[in-house]
Amino acid sequence: MKILVASSIDKDALQTLEDKHNVTKAFNANEAKLRTIICNQEVLIFRSGISLNREILAAAKKLRLIIRAGSGLDNIDLAYLKQQDIPLKRIPGPGAVAVAEMSFALMLSLARQIVVADTLLRKGRWAKNELDGHLLTGKTLGIIGAGNIGTRVGGFGKAWGMNILGCVESPASINGKHFRDHGFDLVDMETVLKTSDFVSIHVPLKETTRNLISSKELSFMKDGSFLVNLARGGVLDESALYQYLTQPGGLAGAALDVHNQEGEGKISPLSQLTNIVLTPHIGAMTIDSQRQIGQHILRIIAQFN
Ligand code: MLT
């Protein structure tokens, strides 16, 4: 089969695909390149970092299967796929665990000023007396988007001795039920923001969630609270965040793994602040999760053959 691998995947899975199929690799290619190379491909494997718009998909006349090697569907024209009846398989499970763990890595990093401590120590500064931090234990963890990933974050929070609150777009949904079944409190978003010491965002990016957390929502957050975004950059208004990270009585800190502008050479204005931790969309990037995703890809392709 002719397979276009448009984003990096586990190297062993990629090797197996290359041994058995006609594979074209084009990681994070631009629109013009994708439109050219996709023409005669039968299978497309992709992740975040590229945009699969209608023009690109329309050029893929031979496409019979699309595999999303992960979760998010914000970078592909779903309406067009539906029209064309091209099957799309997602593999959301393995990355969810990694993203949930990353939420804790970022919360702990903020609470204990780990990046600041490391930066100072490398310069010879022994800033022990300036680096007092916060406990997570006993604090309230608020989850915006208490779905697959959010519920796992809640589970980790419980083990950490935190009080867990969450909200979902529609509380009657399966996500809401799942979260409640774990014994966590499902409330509205305003209550989550007003009550939590740590807020972790886990909603997909779509029309109803674009700029979901903007100036008004940030104004609800407790003075000295912390915000973590592992969802998508478009969900959070970064200029409003800048303001709330720099004004008196605003947030104590924020950590972003996803950004309005992503990719090589992009530097956010937020990088000027010391009370922010920035990582390059590595939430799902554990060797374990990517290996599992790779195995899923091989199974999906074997069954499709
Ligand atoms: C995902 O949606 O699965 C994550 O953003 C991981 C990725 O594609 O890089």
Side-chain angles (χ1 to χ4, degrees):
M1 260 190 313
K2 290 195 163 178
I3 303 177
L4 173 59
V5 184
S7 311
S8 70
I9 59 168
D10 171 67
K11 63 177 180 359
D12 293 336
L14 182 59
Q15 187 60 59
T16 307
L17 288 179
E18 287 182 310
D19 292 345
K20 295 186 177 169
H21 299 278
N22 180 347
V23 171
T24 303
K25 287 177 284 189
F27 301 163
N28 302 332
N30 64 26
E31 189 173 334
K33 183 166 181 197
L34 271 178
R35 218 184 304 127
T36 313
I37 53 177
I38 208 167
C39 290
N40 56 356
Q41 304 293 333
E42 296 165 275
V43 179
L44 165 66
I45 301 172
F46 79 102
R47 294 175 56 188
S48 57
I50 54 168
S51 170
L52 293 165
N53 58 32
R54 189 166 287 242
E55 289 69 40
I56 293 171
L57 295 172
K61 300 273 184 255
K62 305 220 166 113
L63 204 56
R64 297 193 287 133
L65 173 67
I66 301 182
I67 302 175
R68 177 32 168 126
S71 175
L73 294 175
D74 49 286
N75 56 339
I76 187 161
D77 190 329
L78 291 175
Y80 182 81
L81 280 193
K82 209 167 168 196
Q83 255 173 37
Q84 301 300 309
D85 211 16
I86 303 171
L88 167 69
K89 303 265 187 213
R90 283 170 74 224
I91 309 171
V97 187
V99 173
E101 286 197 0
M102 183 75 177
S103 173
F104 272 78
L106 294 178
M107 283 192 280
L108 287 163
S109 175
L110 289 169
R112 305 304 297 270
Q113 301 195 64
I114 289 173
V115 176
V116 177
D118 178 87
T119 308
L120 291 177
L121 196 57
R122 283 165 198 264
K123 290 178 185 156
R125 284 277 322 281
W126 191 261
K128 183 176 168 104
N129 295 335
E130 297 156 45
L131 290 171
D132 38 3
H134 300 267
L135 287 178
L136 266 58
T137 303
K139 300 290 164 54
T140 298
L141 167 59
I143 298 162
I144 309 280
N148 182 25
I149 299 173
T151 302
R152 284 174 200 273
V153 174
F156 292 157
K158 198 83 196 160
W160 213 278
M162 303 181 86
N163 312 311
I164 313 299
L165 285 183
C167 60
V168 291
E169 197 167 27
S170 82
S173 68
I174 180 88
N175 281 345
K177 185 179 173 318
H178 189 54
F179 193 73
R180 264 199 227 97
D181 288 350
H182 278 72
F184 308 141
D185 282 335
L186 200 62
V187 293
D188 56 65
M189 189 168 81
E190 194 172 324
T191 307
V192 171
L193 293 166
K194 285 183 170 166
T195 321
S196 304
D197 303 294
F198 292 84
V199 172
S200 196
I201 310 174
H202 300 284
V203 291
L205 176 62
K206 48 186 183 165
E207 265 337 286
T208 52
T209 60
R210 191 168 289 283
N211 280 326
L212 181 73
I213 306 299
S214 207
S215 198
K216 181 171 135 217
E217 291 71 27
L218 292 170
S219 76
F220 292 151
M221 288 185 68
K222 280 164 81 167
D223 292 0
S225 57
F226 295 96
L227 178 68
V228 170
N229 186 13
L230 283 148
R232 285 294 181 266
V235 165
L236 173 67
D237 178 343
E238 289 181 6
S239 328
L241 178 66
Y242 190 103
Q243 196 191 321
Y244 279 87
L245 284 172
T246 46
Q247 72 186 23
L251 306 191
L256 309 184
D257 183 50
V258 287
H259 312 270
N260 285 342
Q261 298 271 331
E262 296 195 354
E264 196 66 24
K266 306 268 163 55
I267 303 176
S268 163
L270 289 162
S271 63
Q272 293 156 2
L273 308 179
T274 51
N275 55 348
I276 188 148
V277 175
L278 302 169
T279 50
H281 202 145
I282 53 172
M285 289 296 288
T286 64
I287 291 164
D288 320 66
S289 309
Q290 293 306 319
R291 190 176 294 140
Q292 286 173 35
I293 291 172
Q295 294 308 312
H296 278 277
I297 292 172
L298 297 180
R299 273 198 294 278
I300 291 170
I301 291 187
Q303 281 161 12
F304 188 73
N305 250 329

